[in-house]
Amino acid sequence: MKMTTATAAMIGALVRHGRLVRGTMIGLMGLSVLLDVLKPSHYSRFPWDGIPGFTAVFAFLGALLLIGVYKAIGYGLVYRRPDYYAEPDDDTDDHGASGHE
């Protein structure tokens, strides 16, 4: 139970400081692109390996694509209407499953 409380407190702190967290993440992404541009490429197996910032931008776009695919799968296969598990009314039984003829 103690771990649950600590996790809830940490998530609550992240939510309360949402703007700071967002700014920090954007700054870290920008820093990774900047470092990729500034550092010399010692490894150039493919032509695009020599493009400054390509790896960071490619990884970011790949992450966005994965998030989009997972959300599409979630909305298409997992999520249900709020009343999906509601009990059917006996009056609206169109298939004759109630046993009355």
Side-chain angles (χ1 to χ4, degrees), residues 6-84:
T7 304
M10 184 176 63
I11 291 173
L14 289 173
V15 169
R16 282 191 308 276
H17 298 92
R19 295 185 87 176
L20 176 65
V21 171
R22 183 183 312 130
T24 303
M25 290 298 116
I26 290 172
L28 287 173
M29 286 188 290
L31 180 65
S32 68
V33 172
L34 181 67
L35 289 175
D36 198 27
V37 168
L38 294 179
K39 77 169 183 58
S41 178
H42 296 289
Y43 177 78
S44 184
R45 185 174 183 177
F46 300 106
W48 53 83
D49 286 335
I51 300 172
F54 176 80
T55 305
V57 173
F58 181 73
F60 178 71
L61 293 176
L64 287 180
L65 178 69
L66 283 176
I67 290 169
V69 167
Y70 293 149
K71 284 184 88 58
I73 289 172
Y75 286 124
L77 299 176
V78 178
Y79 296 146
R80 298 288 182 240
R81 298 182 318 270
D83 62 344
Y84 181 78

